[in-house]
Amino acid sequence: MVAFGVVGGSLLAACGTSSATSASSTTPVASARSFQATHFTTNLSKVCPNPLIVQTNWLPEPDHGALWELIGAGGKMAQYTYTGPLGSTGIKMEIIAGGPGDNYLPEPTALYAGNPVIRVTPDLGMGSLDTVIQLSKKFPAVGVVALQEHDPLVFISDPKTFPNLSTIHSLIAAAKKGAHFYVASLQTAYVQFLISKGVPESAFIGGYAGDLAKFATGNGMIIQQGYATSEVYNLQHNTPAWNKPVHFSFISHYGLNDYDEVVEVAKNRLPAMSACLTKLVPMIQQAAVDYIQHPSVVNKVLNKFNSGGFGASYWSTSLAYSKAAVRTMLKYDLVGNSQGGKGPIGGLNLSRIQANISTLVPIYAKQGSTNYLPGVSASDVATNRFIDPSVKLPG
């Protein structure tokens, strides 16, 4: 996954799962189509759009696994889209790839202005909450379920040169030694946050767009922006100029713990979509559990899509890549239950969001942005009203 920025634009998250609350915990998904038809059975035909169109924030990848789990292997692939029955709910679902699939629009923008590539207006978007906060006045949206509990965004370093970058102080020390941080943009919220905490602005290099050569040839002095679920694996296994271990540190540990994969709805459509979301959100929660426990079928679909010319030539998700991503999500609690493991999967911590707002708004204000809602609060950008508290990742 390419980790793009937010400030000034983003290139970049009653039970509806029928009776199958535990089947996915004990039975591997042998046939994705029959699994979806059996387990996602609540009738959505009278409450949800058909097809239900969901815009993602990037090309298909394991981080989006819960959405793809709703269709499984029963969908049809076309350029930037995957469409198929959402179980036996009576509706179809269409997933639109982000990045080149929506001309890199921020997801809240696409919910209002429409997708300029596929030329449809999505019913739901999926992306980071910091983007929702930033655009809370111009394109107001509300997050309804998180596909990941913690942000997978990391700094990647040569373990021989910088084996520990777990604190802001260690980043400042690395910069003093001559290290440079290769990021998508210096205007990205987390970069501006780190600069405000004392990391020298001169230590950042903008322009990262998925290329790994700068890191591989940087003699250990380039610290790379990336995702624990993507670039870490690619550097260790798919980059001939490197192909060896790396060290990585989560950006969230520096004090800005964003939700990166949140399903969101345009605020002006929330009343009309509420009946749909009441039944759909618990399905998404259950699909998150199903995928993370038995990801093989969806991983094969992701591989087929990305290798079949339906995405972008520079983006691939081999079975080994996706398997490693799932291991990483589980190992580091990137996908897990909310409330420190005690709450439902997909729940949103409004106190955590409010803390992020307190950090982000001064950054937006300093840059002269007029796109965020003055006095924006966590309840303006997120809600747990559709979350089923009983849907949890076992263990």
Side-chain angles (χ1 to χ4, degrees), residues 10 27 34 37 51 62 67 83 87 105 116 123 126 139 142 163 166 175 186 193 195 207 214 284 300 309 330 353 378:
S10 176
T27 306
S34 63
L67 296 180
T83 307
L105 278 183
D123 301 298
M126 188 210 70
F139 298 111
V142 180
S166 59
L186 270 66
F193 166 71
I195 291 172
K214 193 181 294 291
I284 296 174
K300 290 177 182 177
L330 284 170
I353 295 169

Side-chain angles (χ1 to χ4, degrees), residues 11-270:
L11 297 182
L12 284 160
C15 183
T17 58
S18 76
S19 60
T21 56
S22 61
S24 64
S25 304
T26 58
T27 306
V29 184
S31 171
R33 181 64 191 100
S34 63
F35 178 85
Q36 273 70 33
T38 301
H39 288 72
F40 301 122
T41 61
T42 299
N43 189 344
L44 300 179
S45 62
K46 295 182 180 181
V47 294
C48 290
N50 189 12
L52 178 71
I53 302 173
V54 184
Q55 175 69 64
T56 66
N57 59 348
W58 186 240
L59 295 160
E61 58 187 339
D63 303 74
H64 307 168
L67 296 180
W68 288 70
E69 181 71 32
L70 292 169
I71 301 175
K76 179 181 178 181
M77 297 178 184
Q79 189 66 51
Y80 301 131
T81 66
Y82 187 63
T83 307
L86 200 171
S88 55
T89 63
I91 69 168
K92 289 185 177 181
M93 179 176 174
E94 179 178 341
I95 301 172
I96 305 178
D102 68 350
N103 202 26
Y104 305 95
L105 278 183
E107 293 69 46
T109 303
L111 291 175
Y112 286 87
N115 180 304
V117 179
I118 308 300
R119 298 189 180 280
V120 296
T121 299
D123 301 298
L124 300 172
M126 188 210 70
S128 64
L129 260 189
D130 60 2
T131 304
V132 176
I133 295 165
Q134 183 194 359
L135 298 176
S136 54
K137 178 181 178 181
K138 188 173 184 180
F139 298 111
V142 180
V144 295
V145 58
L147 302 189
Q148 292 181 330
E149 174 66 8
H150 296 292
D151 191 346
L153 186 64
V154 294
F155 272 146
I156 304 169
S157 62
D158 179 353
K160 293 182 178 180
T161 310
F162 298 109
N164 185 359
L165 294 174
S166 59
T167 65
I168 292 178
H169 177 75
S170 65
L171 299 180
I172 296 172
K176 289 180 178 179
K177 292 181 179 179
H180 285 87
F181 303 92
Y182 189 32
V183 299
S185 169
L186 270 66
Q187 301 307 306
T188 306
Y190 85 87
V191 173
Q192 288 296 309
F193 166 71
L194 293 176
I195 291 172
S196 73
K197 294 298 183 179
V199 183
E201 183 173 353
S202 59
F204 290 94
I205 303 172
Y208 174 61
D211 49 302
L212 301 177
K214 193 181 294 291
F215 176 90
T217 60
N219 296 318
M221 299 307 291
I222 296 295
I223 296 169
Q224 172 82 53
Q225 169 186 302
Y227 275 75
T229 50
S230 183
E231 283 91 340
V232 169
Y233 180 87
N234 283 333
L235 277 167
Q236 293 181 151
H237 301 280
N238 294 329
T239 308
W242 187 263
N243 279 5
K244 55 186 177 181
V246 297
H247 172 78
F248 60 93
S249 299
F250 288 97
I251 302 297
S252 61
H253 293 175
Y254 302 136
L256 185 62
N257 190 8
D258 188 29
Y259 285 99
D260 190 62
E261 309 285 356
V262 176
V263 176
E264 59 205 45
V265 61
K267 184 169 283 191
N268 65 359
R269 290 193 64 190
L270 183 58

